Amino acid sequence: MSGRAGCRGIDEQGICILMVDEKLEPSTAKLMLKGSADSLNGISDRWTGLMVTTCTLMRWLDF
């Protein structure tokens, strides 16, 4: 399991802590950290856009 601290698009750097429950060979760990990420496909970007649009409209209408 790993996670990155920082805001995407704002912070240039972040800290990632990798925790594993078994011993890894250095080459395996290097592949995990330096390899390419799988593409993520979802609808969260659409929901985010809808939420931003709704909040902007509510602010514009003075709700």
Side-chain angles (χ1 to χ4, degrees), residues 2-35:
S2 68
R4 182 191 180 280
C7 296
R8 181 181 295 161
I10 296 174
D11 297 324
E12 292 182 17
Q13 295 181 355
I15 296 173
C16 181
I17 299 173
L18 178 66
M19 298 180 70
V20 294
D21 62 353
E22 56 189 62
K23 192 171 185 174
L24 294 176
E25 293 294 323
S27 59
T28 304
K30 186 176 180 179
L31 281 174
M32 288 174 66
L33 296 173
K34 297 280 188 176

Side-chain angles (χ1 to χ4, degrees), residues 53-63:
T53 302
T54 302
C55 290
T56 303
L57 180 62
M58 290 176 68
R59 179 181 262 179
W60 183 69
L61 294 175
D62 201 26
F63 270 87

